[in-house]
């Protein structure tokens, strides 16, 4: 089953186009397209409902405090690799170092701030400390008596866990999506539906295949909405014209992106739609000739 074009569903959701009989039948039987249309209408409604919202209040202080508390709690949990190393314990095959220069290898010097992640092990200690590969100051607080709580040294940044980065990224993406919706729909007023001054069904013209069709509507804000379907493939591009059927004078309104879909084209101010009442879609070549090619594909007369 071929689904409806996404751009077409957007125009239907914004209320700037009416579904034809074929599209209505498709939406009645296609759950995927129907759900996408409902989702787009919901987004359009959210954008229309935020027209009066300009200045957002700052988030309360307790919100950020709660986020930081959650991140701090997660940072204290050992990683799966560290927990695995703690469960395995030290390598039993590794022998203690031999005495050298008369120094007992069991003697351990006080730890110096050298960044060495490998603390020494006292010989004969029945519970040797586990070599984890972490810096000593980054270890979790000891649970033994007098262990004290480890303090993170100043100047060292804390690495955020992966889930926290994902949450922050998702939140930022959602905020950008909402702001983008407000920006895109910001000039559409409280309702996306526009007042129509004139409209025209567009039918195949000349040798154009009979299944090519379209419709045109002139909105009160001075834009021409054009919906076309099944235009024949051309080597150039499609151009939209308004024609005076009495004098056959014409001017270009704009171009279309493809053989099917919707377009919103601005009309010149104070255009006389009673005189220039014919909407024409032509096939044009990339020949640097701005005049009409004479190859019209669709035509219709505006009424209203």
């Amino acid at each position: 089953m071929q689904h409806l074009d996404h751009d077409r569903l957007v125009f239907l959701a914004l209320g700037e186009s009416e579904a034809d009989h074929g599209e209505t039948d498709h939406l009645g039987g296609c759950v995927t397209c129907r759900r996408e249309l409902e989702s787009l209408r919901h987004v359009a409604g959210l954008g229309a409902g935020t027209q009066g919202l300009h200045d957002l209040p700052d988030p309360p202080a307790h919100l950020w405090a709660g986020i930081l508390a959650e991140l701090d709690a997660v940072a204290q949990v050992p990683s799966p690799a560290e927990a695995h190393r703690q469960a395995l314990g030290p390598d039993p095959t590794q022998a203690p170092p031999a005495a050298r220069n008369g120094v007992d290898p069991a003697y351990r010097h006080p730890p110096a701030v050298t960044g060495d992640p490998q603390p020494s092990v006292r010989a004969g200690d029945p519970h040797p400390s586990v070599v984890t590969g972490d810096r000593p100051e980054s270890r979790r607080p000891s649970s033994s008596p007098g262990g004290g709580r480890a303090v993170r040294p100043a100047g060292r940044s804390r690495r955020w866990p992966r889930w926290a980065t994902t949450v922050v990224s998702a939140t930022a993406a959602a905020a950008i999506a909402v702001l983008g919706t407000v920006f895109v729909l910001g000039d559409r007023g409280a309702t996306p539906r526009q007042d129509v001054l004139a409209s025209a069904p567009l039918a195949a013209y000349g040798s154009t295949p009979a299944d090519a069709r379209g419709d045109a509507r002139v909105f009160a804000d001075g834009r021409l909405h054009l919906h076309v379907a099944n235009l024949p493939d051309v080597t150039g591009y499609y151009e939209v014209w308004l024609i005076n059927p009495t004098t056959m004078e014409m001017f270009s309104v704009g171009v279309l992106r493809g053989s099917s879909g919707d377009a919103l084209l601005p009309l010149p101010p104070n255009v006389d739609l009673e005189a220039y009442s014919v909407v024409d879609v032509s096939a044009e070549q990339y020949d640097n000739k701005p005049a009409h090619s004479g190859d019209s594909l669709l035509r219709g007369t505006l009424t209203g």
Side-chain angles (χ1 to χ4, degrees):
M1 177 187 296
Q2 183 177 2
H3 298 291
L4 296 180
D5 185 73
H6 176 75
D7 291 342
R8 178 59 179 162
L9 291 175
V10 170
F11 275 90
L12 293 177
L14 293 175
E16 296 192 359
S17 182
E18 303 261 346
D20 58 29
H21 294 296
E23 293 169 336
T24 302
D25 294 341
H26 179 83
L27 289 171
C30 179
V31 177
T32 301
C33 290
R34 188 165 62 251
R35 287 180 177 175
E36 184 176 0
L37 179 59
E38 292 173 355
S39 177
L40 290 171
R41 283 175 173 168
H42 176 68
V43 173
L46 291 177
T50 57
Q51 300 306 304
L53 187 61
H54 300 287
D55 297 326
L56 295 176
D58 293 333
H62 68 81
L63 176 62
W64 290 115
I67 293 176
L68 293 177
E70 289 289 339
L71 295 177
D72 186 71
V74 173
Q76 301 298 331
V77 179
S79 65
E82 181 182 351
H84 181 66
R85 286 194 298 267
Q86 291 177 352
L88 291 178
D91 188 357
T93 63
Q94 185 176 1
R100 185 175 59 180
N101 298 328
V103 179
D104 185 358
Y107 174 74
R108 178 170 55 189
H109 290 280
V113 184
T114 62
D116 184 359
Q118 302 284 343
S120 59
V121 181
R122 182 182 300 272
D125 189 350
H127 299 287
S129 60
V130 180
V131 179
T132 64
D134 295 330
R135 294 184 180 272
E137 62 268 21
S138 65
R139 291 182 184 174
R140 299 189 60 199
S142 173
S143 59
S144 60
R149 182 174 181 83
V151 179
R152 186 169 55 252
R156 293 194 58 200
S157 61
R158 178 179 58 207
R159 179 179 299 174
W160 285 23
R162 292 184 179 179
W163 74 265
T165 304
T166 303
V167 170
V168 173
S169 301
T171 304
I176 292 173
V178 172
L179 292 177
T181 301
V182 173
F183 176 78
V184 171
L185 301 179
D187 62 343
R188 300 189 181 276
T191 174
R193 191 170 298 276
Q194 298 282 346
D195 293 331
V196 178
L197 300 181
S199 61
L202 304 180
Y205 185 83
S207 60
T208 305
D211 62 343
R213 67 184 190 279
D215 60 80
R217 294 187 298 165
V218 179
F219 292 145
D221 62 0
R223 293 183 299 172
L224 173 67
H225 169 245
L226 204 67
H227 170 63
V228 297
N230 303 323
L231 291 179
D233 293 334
V234 297
T235 56
Y237 58 96
Y238 308 100
E239 192 163 3
V240 183
W241 307 79
L242 283 183
I243 302 176
N244 186 327
T246 303
T247 64
M248 293 307 295
E249 294 179 348
M250 65 187 71
F251 62 89
S252 174
V253 178
V255 298
L256 302 179
R257 292 186 301 173
S259 60
S260 296
D262 294 77
L264 275 176
L265 305 174
L267 293 175
N270 302 321
V271 61
D272 187 355
L273 295 178
E274 292 185 357
Y276 291 88
S277 59
V278 174
V279 180
D280 178 276
V281 179
S282 66
E284 302 292 334
Q285 302 295 325
Y286 296 107
D287 53 10
N288 292 325
K289 295 180 180 179
H292 194 292
S293 65
D295 185 9
S296 294
L297 304 177
L298 298 177
R299 275 195 183 181
T301 302
L302 292 170
T303 59

